[in-house]
Amino acid sequence: MKRSQIKRRPLADTVLASLEPESSDYRELDGNGLYLQVRKNGSKSWNLRYKRPTGKWAWMGLGSFPRVSGKAARKEAQRLNAMAADGVDLRVYKASVQEQHLFETAAEDWYQTKLAAGRSPGTTDQMRRYLDSDIFPAIGKKTLSSITRADCAKIQEKLEVRGAHNIAKKVRSWINQIFSRAIGQGKCELNPASELRHIAAEAPKTKPYPHLLEPELPAFLQAFRHSTSRIISRTAAWLVLRTASRPGMVRLSKWSEFDLDEALWSIPAAKMKMRRDHLVPLSRQSVDDLRSLYEITGRGEWVFPGNGPKNPTLSENTINKVIAMVGYKSKLVGHGSRHTASTLLREHGWHRDLVEAQLAHKEEGVAGVYNQAAYLTKRRKMMQWYSDYLDALETGMTAEQREQFASQVIGMAVAPDSGF
């Protein structure tokens, strides 16, 4: 429809939808200072003409059509005209509102709720990292109402192209939560990230973390013993290997969590993936390593400090780098040592429940809480056995030693709650 055919105002919905573009942009009056702008490329948007307190006329955009309907645009124009009549400078007002309704502002508000809720440092560190590196550069400075599904889909797609399918899933969930919270606060009406899962690329089948089996351990342990990495990084890697703990738990550990006299590491629930306190028995070798490290880092809070206030602890890649530098890049990673420990312990007869408790795998109900403590005595024996076995593999296992190690496991293959 050509604008010369318009017969009445406000403009009917059929007119708004059918107005044709011309060789140059134009505005068509709807009423009370509200105009529909039609660009030569066919896009349409709402503009409000108003008078500033200085007496000068100015324009304010009210959103695109048809995302903002005629009815909604007129209601908003009426509200803004009333404010202008009361002496409010709409330009200043709009800048203030936009600042409050920027995605970046809403995301920071959401992030603070995660910190206040006591989410684990590993999780909140990851949120912070991807907000700053992938999400904010794409949509941080946009207002919530201006962000489209295509904007959100593009963030997901870029992560998938990098092969980071698990991160793409997390980022999608975070953006979804940010918009849902903003809707509840009245900052926007729509959640453009709500259906992204339906267009997510299928992730490749999960592969286990690179890990070593028993025949491969002697060569690795010999190489690792000659590591030239600094003592802080090297000790962190040894603690991961000897305790089968998650690397993140090790690098974020604090001296207050360790009782070296009792050879026990107590990890609070807030740091654990399953949100449950976890006790880690320490072998004699681990205690010796930590006592030596205490002479270097014991005056501080962190067992494995990083460099400077921006990096209070070792980075998440440090332990893997230590392993890679002795020739085992892509053959073993810190998390893979959990698989190595689980396989070796089970193959030598240690009961599954003891191994699962050491790995802090989830056990439902009251039993999960009880068994954390109930298994500690036998887990102490198991993890001392494991450290000794690794040492023997490194130096060369004799037949006599192999028999001694086998005899120590006798009786441990039965249910761990028997014999207490």
Side-chain angles (χ1 to χ4, degrees):
M1 174 180 184
K2 298 187 181 300
R3 57 174 169 162
S4 60
Q5 297 175 287
I6 296 174
K7 295 181 179 179
R8 67 179 181 86
R9 289 175 175 78
L11 303 174
D13 290 343
T14 53
V15 173
L16 293 172
S18 60
L19 269 178
E20 299 176 3
E22 297 180 359
S23 58
S24 59
D25 301 346
Y26 68 89
R27 291 188 179 99
E28 191 61 38
L29 178 65
D30 183 84
N32 296 320
L34 180 65
Y35 290 77
L36 180 73
Q37 182 178 48
V38 182
R39 296 191 178 277
K40 59 184 179 182
N41 63 5
S43 65
K44 301 172 184 178
S45 60
W46 293 104
N47 290 177
L48 177 66
R49 191 165 188 255
Y50 68 97
K51 185 177 288 188
R52 301 187 66 191
T54 60
K56 293 183 178 181
W57 290 93
W59 292 96
M60 174 183 284
L62 302 187
S64 63
F65 176 85
R67 192 165 64 87
V68 177
S69 67
K71 182 178 180 181
R74 292 178 196 111
K75 183 177 180 181
E76 179 67 0
Q78 183 179 16
R79 184 181 74 87
L80 292 171
N81 279 328
M83 291 175 62
D86 288 338
V88 175
D89 190 331
L90 296 186
R91 179 174 295 179
V92 175
Y93 168 76
K94 181 179 181 181
S96 174
V97 170
Q98 283 184 331
E99 176 63 28
Q100 293 175 17
H101 292 184
L102 286 178
F103 179 87
E104 187 175 61
T105 304
E108 292 292 354
D109 173 61
W110 167 84
Y111 178 69
Q112 291 303 317
T113 67
K114 299 301 180 183
L115 291 177
R119 297 295 295 271
S120 70
T123 298
T124 54
D125 285 352
Q126 189 178 63
M127 289 174 175
R128 180 78 268 165
R129 186 164 61 256
Y130 286 100
L131 279 171
D132 293 340
S133 65
D134 290 270
I135 301 175
F136 285 169
I139 59 176
K141 296 301 182 183
K142 292 187 175 184
T143 58
L144 292 162
S145 60
S146 69
I147 295 171
T148 66
R149 293 191 186 278
D151 292 329
C152 299
K154 191 175 294 184
I155 296 172
Q156 174 176 271
E157 183 182 2
K158 284 186 175 180
L159 289 165
E160 291 170 344
V161 169
R162 283 163 28 196
H165 292 272
N166 187 48
I167 292 298
K169 181 178 179 181
K170 290 182 179 182
V171 166
R172 177 176 73 235
S173 173
W174 299 338
I175 297 175
N176 203 328
Q177 291 174 35
I178 291 166
F179 272 105
S180 293
R181 180 174 173 81
I183 290 172
Q185 295 172 328
K187 294 180 178 179
C188 63
E189 297 297 327
L190 300 174
N191 183 346
S194 61
E195 305 300 328
L196 292 181
R197 69 186 186 279
H198 296 299
I199 61 170
E202 185 175 354
K205 292 185 178 180
T206 304
K207 296 180 180 179
Y209 289 99
H211 61 279
L212 301 177
L213 300 179
E214 183 170 337
E216 303 168 289
L217 285 173
F220 164 72
L221 292 166
Q222 291 163 16
F224 193 71
R225 184 67 66 179
H226 294 93
S227 169
T228 58
S229 297
R230 63 193 186 114
I231 186 172
I232 296 176
S233 304
R234 197 167 65 245
T235 302
W238 271 119
L239 193 60
V240 167
L241 292 169
R242 289 185 175 130
T243 64
S245 297
R246 293 181 176 90
M249 299 300 96
V250 169
R251 69 184 186 84
L252 295 173
S253 61
K254 299 180 178 181
W255 282 115
S256 60
E257 298 168 5
F258 288 88
D259 185 337
L260 298 183
D261 292 332
E262 293 294 325
L264 191 65
W265 176 18
S266 302
I267 307 176
K271 284 188 173 183
M272 295 300 298
K273 184 177 181 179
M274 295 305 171
R275 294 294 180 273
R276 194 158 58 199
D277 293 342
H278 183 55
L279 301 176
V280 181
L282 301 172
S283 67
R284 180 184 64 258
Q285 293 90 330
S286 291
V287 170
D288 289 344
D289 283 350
L290 288 167
R291 287 193 188 280
S292 296
L293 186 63
Y294 188 83
E295 298 298 320
I296 301 172
T297 71
R299 293 183 180 181
E301 176 184 15
W302 303 101
V303 179
F304 304 104
N307 298 313
K310 290 187 177 181
N311 301 291
T313 67
L314 294 180
S315 73
E316 62 179 335
N317 294 320
T318 299
I319 292 172
N320 289 344
K321 186 176 180 180
V322 171
I323 295 171
M325 287 177 65
V326 298
Y328 279 78
K329 183 177 182 180
S330 302
K331 299 177 184 178
L332 174 67
V333 295
H335 210 97
S337 65
R338 289 165 57 80
H339 191 126
T340 296
S342 177
T343 303
L344 190 150
L345 290 167
R346 294 291 302 280
E347 285 180 344
H348 285 276
W350 291 96
H351 195 277
R352 173 187 178 279
D353 289 351
L354 294 177
V355 177
E356 293 298 290
Q358 181 65 25
L359 296 174
H361 284 165
K362 188 174 184 179
E363 188 172 2
E364 300 292 348
V366 176
V369 177
Y370 167 76
N371 288 339
Q372 286 295 307
Y375 293 176
L376 184 59
T377 299
K378 288 190 175 181
R379 282 200 292 127
R380 283 186 183 277
K381 295 178 181 178
M382 179 177 72
M383 297 316 291
Q384 183 60 58
W385 180 97
Y386 186 60
S387 283
D388 291 341
Y389 197 83
L390 292 179
D391 287 349
L393 287 175
E394 178 193 341
T395 57
M397 183 92 65
T398 65
E400 182 180 358
Q401 283 179 312
R402 194 170 292 278
E403 289 182 6
Q404 290 175 347
F405 280 115
S407 66
Q408 293 172 24
V409 186
I410 293 175
M412 297 298 178
V414 298
D417 58 349
S418 63
F420 277 97

